[in-house]
Each structure stands twice: as C-alpha cells, then as structure tokens.
Amino acid sequence: MKKKNIAIFASGSGTNAEEIMKHFQKSAVGEVSLVLSNNASAYVLERARKYQVDTMLFNRQVLNETTAVDEKLEEKNIDFIVLAGFMLLFPERLIKKYPNKIVNIHPALLPKYGGKGMYGMYVHEAVVKNRESESGITIHWVNEIYDEGKIIFQATCPVGPKDTPEDVATKVHQLEYEHYPKVIESLLKEK
Ligand code: GAR
C-alpha cells in the first residue's frame, strides 16, 4: 500500500511535530511531507529542515482569504492533516475539503479546559489554579468549533498539590510524545 502523506500545522516550538516526524521516518503507512506554520520564528521550521521536510509559512490572511495553503496541500498530495500546537482557528473551507482527516491534540482532558484562549501554558495554569488532581491529553477530530470535535483518544496523568504549571506541562508533554504518533499511525491504517 502507498504511504499516506501527512501535513503538520504548528505555531511554536514543535516538539510534538518532531516526535511525529521521527516516528514516521520508520513507518510503512505514512510519511510527513509538509510542515506549515503561521509563525516565521517558530522553531518547528528548524526541526522540519533537520528532517528534510518541506515547509510553508503563511499568515492568517493568506490562510483565511486565499487558496495558497490549499494549493500547497494539493501539490504535496496530502492525505492527512495533523495540528500540533497550531494556534489559529482552522478554516472551515479546509475542514470541508478534508472530512475526517484532520486531528488535533489538546493538552488537557476535554471537555474541561478547552475553547478559545485555552492553549499551551494557559491550560496548565488553569488546571493548577483549580487544584485538579489529574490532567492529560485529548486527541480529537477537528470540526468548526474550537476543541469540540469527536474525541479519539485520552490519557491521564496525576497532578500533585505541589505541582507547578511547568510540572504539569512536562507530564502532559510526555503523554503527547508517547501517544500522538501512535494514534496517528493507527488512524492512517484505518483509512
Ligand atoms: C502542546 O502541548 C499542544 O498540546 C498544545 O500546544 C503545545 C505545543 O507544544 N496545543 C494547544 O494548546 C492547542 N489548543 P510543541 O510546539 O512543543 O509541540
């Protein structure tokens, strides 16, 4: 079977993107063919170069009001889209073009701590402030509403009374690295 082409959208450091690129270097079902970012200084672009993966940089206006991103995805024959720390709302136009082919990872146990403004460290700060005893990750399909697509997978980690938001971030990142590449691989196998 032909390998599926994966595109990763990321806005920041890209540690998840790197784990996914690393995983799919050795996979028979898919490969990362493109990394896209809305942030010129995002370290994820550097990571993509290290793995010799093609990159595309765009801004909000290009994403929402032109078809430049669509054309790049088509040129690369993208079959599956992974959001990994992508901080812009994913446009409805692309969601319609790639039905059930776009996944996101959220650094908490949705439906808790989701929605607009809940991303990255803001999530972990809220979890600690509310004295939660656990947090975790949620991998879900992307639909038109922030963090409300169907949940595919969740994993939890304990939050201790002395944990700082940084401690929680570390635990959540470990879960992300452990599970996100494998969950993507199993979804590709089902397609
Ligand atoms: C990850 O923890 C991811 O779950 C989160 O941003 C971080 C990106 O880290 N995503 C969101 O908050 C989306 N709402 P990374 O750039 O090192 O992969």
Side-chain angles (χ1 to χ4, degrees):
M1 211 175 67
K2 199 181 150 292
K3 279 193 196 182
K4 303 269 189 348
N5 289 315
I6 303 165
I8 303 178
F9 284 72
S11 303
S13 170
T15 59
N16 275 286
E18 177 151 3
E19 290 298 320
I20 296 163
M21 289 188 281
K22 202 190 293 170
H23 176 95
F24 282 97
Q25 271 191 329
K26 294 187 238 99
S27 163
V29 298
E31 65 183 301
V32 179
S33 311
L34 184 62
V35 166
L36 304 98
S37 185
N38 61 308
N39 176 3
S41 55
Y43 194 65
V44 70
L45 295 168
E46 203 57 51
R47 296 185 199 269
R49 273 174 222 124
K50 189 169 109 188
Y51 283 81
Q52 295 175 327
V53 173
D54 194 7
T55 58
M56 179 181 184
L57 183 65
F58 57 85
N59 61 30
R60 193 192 296 259
Q61 186 260 334
V62 167
L63 177 66
N64 291 329
E65 294 167 29
T66 78
T67 54
V69 170
D70 311 41
E71 282 155 28
K72 187 73 178 177
L73 295 173
E74 278 158 33
E75 177 198 319
K76 294 297 229 176
N77 288 317
I78 296 303
D79 302 293
F80 200 81
I81 295 176
V82 172
L83 310 187
F86 184 59
M87 299 307 175
L88 297 181
L89 183 63
F90 207 70
E92 213 172 310
R93 183 188 76 249
L94 283 172
I95 295 170
K96 291 213 169 85
K97 273 193 187 166
Y98 292 89
N100 290 317
K101 287 179 182 164
I102 311 171
V103 290
N104 181 43
I105 191 159
H106 187 78
L109 297 170
L110 290 174
K112 280 179 143 183
Y113 303 105
K116 213 167 159 55
M118 272 294 169
Y119 59 87
M121 285 306 291
Y122 295 114
V123 174
H124 309 308
E125 280 160 13
V127 164
V128 167
K129 197 164 166 233
N130 289 344
R131 301 176 191 276
E132 295 283 356
S133 60
E134 64 171 15
S135 191
I137 60 168
T138 303
I139 297 169
H140 64 92
W141 295 112
V142 172
N143 70 11
E144 290 82 350
I145 308 169
Y146 260 133
D147 301 330
E148 287 195 16
K150 190 163 178 279
I151 292 174
I152 300 163
F153 176 89
Q154 291 186 304
T156 63
C157 59
V159 177
K162 294 209 174 93
D163 277 353
T164 63
E166 288 73 20
D167 296 330
V168 180
T170 302
K171 291 181 195 180
V172 165
H173 262 128
Q174 283 314 314
L175 287 177
E176 294 185 323
Y177 306 154
E178 187 186 339
H179 296 289
Y180 205 16
K182 287 186 204 154
V183 170
I184 295 165
E185 170 123 8
S186 67
L187 292 171
L188 287 178
K189 279 185 186 152
E190 286 168 17
K191 295 258 161 211

